[in-house]
Amino acid sequence: MLCATSRLLAAGTATAPPAQPRGRGPGARCRRRELHFPGHPELPPGDFLLGRLARPSVPAGRRVTLRRGRMPPAVGGGPARSELRPRRGRAGIEAAGAVGPDVAAEPAARSPKRPARGSRCIEAAGRWTLLTLVTLLSFATRFHRLDEPRHICWDETHFGKMGSYYINRTFFFDVHPPLGKMLIGLAGYLSGYDGTFLFQKPGDKYEHHNYMGMRGFCAFLGSLLVPFAYLTVLELSKSFPAALLTAALLTFDTGCLTLSQYILLDPILMFFIMAAMLSMVKYNSCANRPFSAPWWFWLSLTGINLAGALGVKFVGLFIILQVGWNTISDLWHLFGDLSLSVVTVGKHLTARILCLIALPLTLYTATYAIHFMVLNKSGPGDGFFSSAFQARLSGNNLHNASIPEHLAYGSVITVKNLRMAIGYLHSHRHLYPEGIGARQQQVTTYLHKDYNNLWIIKKHNTNADPLDPSIPVEFVRHGDIVRLEHKETSRNLHSHYHEAPLTRKHYQVTGYGINGTGDSNDFWRIEVINRKFGNRIKVLRSRIRLIHLVTGCVLGSSGKVLPKWGWEQLEVTCTPYLKETLNSIWNVEDHINPKLPNISLDVLQPTFPEILLESHMVMIRGNNGLKPKDNEFTSKPWHWPINYQGLRFSGINDTDFRVYLLGNPVIWWLNLLSIALYLLLGSIIAVAVQRGTHLPAEVKGLSQVLLQGGGQLLLGWMLHYFPFFLMGRILYFHHYFPAMLFSSMLTGILWDTLLRLCAWSLASSFLARGVYMVGILSLLLGTAYSFYLFHPLAYGMVGPLAQDPGSPMAGLRWLESWDF
């Protein structure tokens, strides 16, 4: 790299060289060093190095406009965009007339001789053979020992269970969109899995249950990452060695291999991310044939894959941002092309709106329609959603139910917070621990249906039983003073001036009293939002607040998770701030009163847009609320690129079958080095180009590949990595792997370019070719050997831990933080 960079800088000058006779310019001096490096076999090396594979030919007699200082869009296969664009119209005709026949015929005279048909067939067969070999090797590594271990590993306990829920049509809640779990469930269903395995905890044996269909589906998608990356780099660089090096980095990475072999969302997410990237690069390469069938195909496929990425996890938004940036850059370039009419630019804009906005949104919405249609039975996710949402679930106590319409004294009720994913007002016999306010009965919110959610609403000034047949029905009205008695423990909802457990300046809420007898701190005024005093309170539809009569505070939930002494339920407080927020607004859901007539709840079922909006609000809140539990292993974003610490997938002791998620350190550290080198070399080249330095033809072509193709991959790495520094939720090592895909593709392009620059700087053609081939082979063999050393991490280990000097893995524990 140093020799090539010094030669590049030495050759530069701030002004262009003087005009010279044809055939005597700088290109003539460089032609003797044009080398046939392995690349695109159909063109001579000069054209290959200049990245002219996708550039349209310019007919003789047309003016060619060179726009100085204007870079092509950020994406594409080298300079596939038309920096050389034939200008049409009168100017072009006049230019053609002004050019003499000798000059007009010159491009034809310089054009390379086309290879024979038989030669082209052999070259095409060679390209397909190489792609086939890369694909087969990827599948072989991913499907090898796929059935081991025969027990649940890590997050298979979550996503395998959710696949079972789809097969059983049982509603559940998850913080991720539904597409990935639906596909896992579909794979299990098609492979004969009946959805009866419980997926309770890691280590549980699968026994006779058929889990291979779901693992095989994830391994299939994970295997496709390698050929996708190969084709993407080939399109960006037009270099087979660069593409082959990228394929080797991903094939021999133990981390990507491990993630691809289990029932997880990660291989599905990375599949759609890489498919979207490949489709985007492909439609960029069709820029000289807009509105052709291939152009429409790749543009539409990009939109489909964007919908898939976002439909698996919300981090699919990062690839959407990358495609969006590419699209804006592309449209800006087209808008500045004066040879295109406004109508044509409008067609380009409309096509991108249809394929990259309307189509993905339609498909994304359709996944939710299928999700809600399939999961129509009540399940563990009911409590995360509103009462109206639950009324549509078969088996839920609100489905096809009829309950009394208006709230009356003596009714047994459940009270649900209107903020998403807060749950029901709840109490149990456990007391607050010493030092946490008054040592009285805990009051929390709980997301699941439970008998401890039941309360009896009573008058504040009498202990008479309102259900006594001799006592007439009396309805609860807006402004009434009431007591809420916990049905299971007979303690009243209570508050006082003690501070809440977690939220400062809020008051503690407890259960107090014996058999409903307490004190004045048990009295609450019930208010209905936007209603007049005296109005009745409607079940499910009235939005109410409970104002503590003594302190004047409002009953609410902070949404904070209590420690283990609070069973990790959510904190309930009484806030002195009277502003209306969803945290302090409730509704009555269940309502039992034998003295009142019932009405049907069918009228409360929400529309599909309301369901879609509510589900997203619940997922976003659930994502933000993911916090590490006690003794739970987490990691920080700065750990990830340096491969600082892995993650146990299976096994802890030396007698266990152990699988450890850790990237191949040789590959990961090479990727990290490559990012640093790219920033250095890219900055040098960018400064040289900006200063008007004259670059030799070969260096100019390689620079364009490095800046444009490599720049797009660097952008992808940054978009898939740096946002995690801003996230407050719990993070894990596997979150880095989409970014790792981009860094591996960047490594392939960078080292191919560096080796070509070093070879170009050598005087001897034979020596240059030898240096290039030795460099590529060394990288390929080095990654393969490192995989040979570290493959037990992915395929499983049994025996002494690496800390034991007698362990076969002891010499491979290069960092103390690796605990395999």
Side-chain angles (χ1 to χ4, degrees):
M1 181 189 75
L2 294 177
C3 62
T5 305
S6 62
R7 184 176 179 85
L8 183 154
L9 294 176
T13 176
T15 58
Q20 299 185 27
R22 188 182 309 164
R24 301 286 298 172
R29 294 195 301 270
C30 295
R31 272 194 291 272
R32 66 186 181 87
R33 289 182 186 164
E34 290 183 350
L35 304 174
H36 272 282
F37 295 127
H40 197 289
E42 293 184 341
L43 296 176
D47 281 351
F48 162 70
L49 290 172
L50 284 170
R52 292 175 181 163
L53 300 183
R55 183 176 297 175
S57 60
V58 182
R62 286 192 177 176
R63 177 185 295 179
V64 175
T65 304
L66 294 175
R67 294 181 174 85
R68 179 188 173 104
R70 178 182 187 173
M71 295 297 290
V75 181
R81 209 62 76 181
S82 53
E83 303 101 74
L84 298 175
R85 183 181 294 276
R87 181 175 291 178
R88 298 172 176 83
R90 287 180 54 189
I93 298 172
E94 292 170 0
V99 176
D102 293 340
V103 177
E106 183 179 349
R110 290 182 178 179
S111 62
K113 185 176 181 180
R114 293 181 63 84
R117 179 181 298 272
S119 176
R120 291 200 301 271
C121 291
I122 294 174
E123 292 160 357
R127 291 196 295 271
W128 281 105
T129 300
L130 189 57
L131 175 60
T132 301
L133 291 176
V134 164
T135 304
L136 289 176
L137 183 59
S138 176
F139 273 81
T141 54
R142 270 59 183 172
F143 278 85
H144 178 61
R145 299 181 67 176
L146 184 64
D147 59 331
E148 295 183 5
R150 292 176 170 84
H151 59 248
I152 300 174
C153 292
W154 196 50
D155 269 357
E156 284 188 323
T157 186
H158 298 303
F159 302 118
K161 181 186 299 181
M162 292 169 188
S164 298
Y165 284 145
Y166 277 105
I167 294 174
N168 297 318
R169 308 191 69 173
T170 302
F171 187 77
F172 67 95
F173 166 73
D174 186 45
V175 296
H176 304 301
L179 180 59
K181 283 98 62 178
M182 275 198 293
L183 293 176
I184 289 174
L186 179 62
Y189 176 77
L190 295 178
S191 61
Y193 171 59
D194 58 5
T196 57
F197 187 63
L198 297 179
F199 285 97
Q200 288 186 329
K201 64 182 183 301
D204 287 354
K205 300 287 185 182
Y206 283 115
E207 297 177 345
H208 64 279
H209 295 278
N210 186 356
Y211 62 97
M212 283 298 293
M214 293 182 284
R215 277 194 183 175
F217 170 73
C218 294
F220 176 80
L221 296 186
S223 300
L224 291 176
L225 298 178
V226 176
F228 283 2
Y230 172 88
L231 292 172
T232 300
V233 171
L234 183 61
E235 193 66 44
L236 289 172
S237 66
K238 305 302 178 184
S239 169
F240 283 105
L244 191 60
L245 179 56
T246 298
L249 294 174
L250 294 180
T251 300
F252 298 133
D253 178 58
T254 52
C256 284
L257 170 59
T258 303
L259 279 182
S260 298
Q261 288 196 308
Y262 298 96
I263 306 171
L264 303 171
L265 295 185
D266 300 272
I268 308 174
L269 172 68
M270 293 191 290
F271 167 82
F272 282 114
I273 289 175
M274 285 303 303
M277 184 68 186
L278 175 61
S279 303
M280 180 185 70
V281 171
K282 284 288 189 180
Y283 96 74
N284 283 334
S285 69
C286 298
N288 60 320
R289 295 173 291 158
F291 309 110
S292 62
W295 187 88
W296 279 110
F297 172 79
W298 290 113
L299 186 64
S300 302
L301 193 59
T302 303
I304 293 171
N305 289 315
L306 291 180
L310 188 62
V312 175
K313 282 189 176 183
F314 284 128
V315 293
L317 179 64
F318 301 152
I319 190 64
I320 292 177
L321 293 176
Q322 183 160 14
V323 173
W325 174 256
N326 170 73
T327 303
I328 293 171
S329 177
D330 193 22
L331 290 173
W332 184 251
H333 176 73
L334 293 170
F335 184 73
D337 188 347
L338 300 182
S339 67
L340 300 178
S341 66
V342 176
V343 174
T344 302
V345 175
K347 290 180 180 178
H348 277 278
L349 176 62
T350 303
R352 285 157 176 80
I353 290 175
L354 289 175
C355 294
L356 300 181
I357 297 178
L359 179 60
L361 281 177
T362 301
L363 295 175
Y364 180 74
T365 305
T367 61
Y368 279 90
I370 298 171
H371 170 72
F372 295 129
M373 180 179 66
V374 173
L375 302 184
N376 61 358
K377 297 180 182 179
S378 178
D382 295 13
F384 290 87
F385 291 82
S386 67
S387 306
F389 183 96
Q390 296 178 45
R392 55 176 295 278
L393 297 173
S394 174
N396 188 281
N397 59 337
L398 297 177
H399 180 67
N400 292 333
S402 57
I403 60 176
E405 181 179 13
H406 295 100
L407 185 62
Y409 288 104
S411 297
V412 178
I413 62 174
T414 58
V415 184
K416 192 173 192 300
N417 193 278
L418 290 192
R419 184 172 177 180
M420 303 299 175
I422 291 292
Y424 300 91
L425 187 65
H426 177 95
S427 187
H428 40 236
R429 297 188 184 275
H430 302 279
L431 306 181
Y432 286 100
E434 291 286 349
I436 306 295
R439 188 166 171 77
Q440 297 175 5
Q441 184 169 296
Q442 297 176 16
V443 174
T444 64
T445 58
Y446 187 52
L447 284 165
H448 304 282
K449 302 280 187 176
D450 191 270
Y451 285 112
N452 282 322
N453 300 340
L454 297 176
W455 301 81
I456 304 172
I457 187 164
K458 294 185 175 182
K459 285 189 171 184
H460 74 289
N461 54 1
T462 179
N463 286 323
D465 183 6
L467 297 181
D468 188 337
S470 63
I471 300 177
V473 172
E474 186 174 353
F475 291 102
V476 181
R477 299 179 183 271
H478 174 52
D480 282 2
I481 308 300
V482 301
R483 277 189 301 118
L484 286 176
E485 180 183 316
H486 190 242
K487 187 175 185 299
E488 294 297 309
T489 62
S490 299
R491 298 186 187 273
N492 296 326
L493 186 69
H494 178 96
S495 187
H496 41 226
Y497 287 106
H498 291 274
E499 192 171 68
L502 302 179
T503 306
R504 297 185 60 188
K505 299 183 179 180
H506 284 212
Y507 300 138
Q508 183 187 33
V509 177
T510 68
Y512 179 75
I514 299 175
N515 294 325
T517 301
D519 59 24
S520 60
N521 281 327
D522 303 339
F523 301 159
W524 302 81
R525 183 173 69 252
I526 189 167
E527 295 183 354
V528 182
I529 305 298
N530 299 326
R531 290 298 179 93
K532 297 179 180 179
F533 278 87
N535 286 355
R536 294 181 182 182
I537 295 175
K538 293 183 177 181
V539 175
L540 292 173
R541 285 176 280 188
S542 292
R543 296 152 54 94
I544 63 175
R545 298 203 305 167
L546 293 168
I547 312 296
H548 193 244
L549 206 60
V550 174
T551 63
C553 59
V554 183
L555 183 73
S557 174
S558 65
K560 298 177 181 178
V561 179
L562 293 170
K564 283 190 175 181
W565 57 256
W567 302 93
E568 297 179 345
Q569 296 172 7
L570 303 185
E571 179 192 39
V572 170
T573 69
C574 198
T575 171
Y577 308 107
L578 302 182
K579 182 179 178 180
E580 291 183 5
T581 63
L582 290 179
N583 296 63
S584 60
I585 299 177
W586 309 78
N587 75 305
V588 176
E589 183 175 286
D590 296 287
H591 184 209
I592 304 170
N593 193 318
K595 298 173 68 173
L596 295 176
N598 295 334
I599 64 166
S600 175
L601 297 181
D602 290 343
V603 295
L604 299 179
Q605 291 197 16
T607 62
F608 175 72
E610 291 172 334
I611 294 174
L612 186 65
L613 178 61
E614 180 177 348
S615 64
H616 278 79
M617 293 176 65
V618 173
M619 284 189 294
I620 291 171
R621 173 162 177 76
N623 252 309
N624 294 335
L626 288 176
K627 304 296 181 184
K629 300 178 182 178
D630 293 343
N631 301 320
E632 185 175 13
F633 175 81
T634 62
S635 63
K636 297 179 180 179
W638 70 267
H639 291 170
W640 303 340
I642 61 176
N643 217 21
Y644 177 75
Q645 197 169 27
L647 196 155
R648 288 196 187 103
F649 259 48
S650 172
I652 299 176
N653 302 316
D654 55 359
T655 58
D656 296 333
F657 185 91
R658 302 189 305 278
V659 176
Y660 191 73
L661 177 66
L662 183 74
N664 184 328
V666 173
I667 293 173
W668 282 53
W669 294 342
L670 178 64
N671 287 347
L672 191 61
L673 174 64
S674 299
I675 292 171
L677 286 177
Y678 178 84
L679 293 174
L680 175 63
L681 185 60
S683 300
I684 293 174
I685 293 175
V687 170
V689 171
Q690 188 67 19
R691 293 293 299 169
T693 302
H694 174 73
L695 300 178
E698 291 84 350
V699 175
K700 183 178 180 181
L702 292 172
S703 301
Q704 288 177 338
V705 169
L706 192 66
L707 292 178
Q708 295 172 23
Q712 185 64 23
L713 298 175
L714 180 67
L715 175 64
W717 176 78
M718 295 170 63
L719 286 175
H720 287 83
Y721 175 48
F722 287 114
F724 287 101
F725 285 94
L726 306 177
M727 294 185 185
R729 56 154 288 173
I730 186 173
L731 297 174
Y732 298 101
F733 177 47
H734 70 99
H735 288 141
Y736 181 70
F737 278 83
M740 183 268 177
L741 297 176
F742 287 90
S743 64
S744 296
M745 290 189 287
L746 178 61
T747 299
I749 288 181
L750 175 76
W751 286 97
D752 178 73
T753 302
L754 288 178
L755 290 171
R756 289 179 187 275
L757 285 173
C758 287
W760 169 81
S761 67
L762 299 174
S764 168
S765 173
F766 177 78
L767 180 60
R769 186 178 182 86
V771 166
Y772 179 79
M773 295 301 296
V774 168
I776 292 293
L777 288 175
S778 298
L779 290 170
L780 292 175
L781 295 176
T783 56
Y785 181 68
S786 65
F787 175 73
Y788 168 76
L789 293 177
F790 286 95
H791 77 274
L793 296 178
Y795 290 134
M797 304 166 283
V798 177
L801 302 177
Q803 295 89 331
D804 187 337
S807 170
M809 303 295 292
L812 298 176
R813 191 168 180 253
W814 296 349
L815 295 180
E816 290 293 327
S817 53
W818 296 351
D819 53 352
F820 52 79

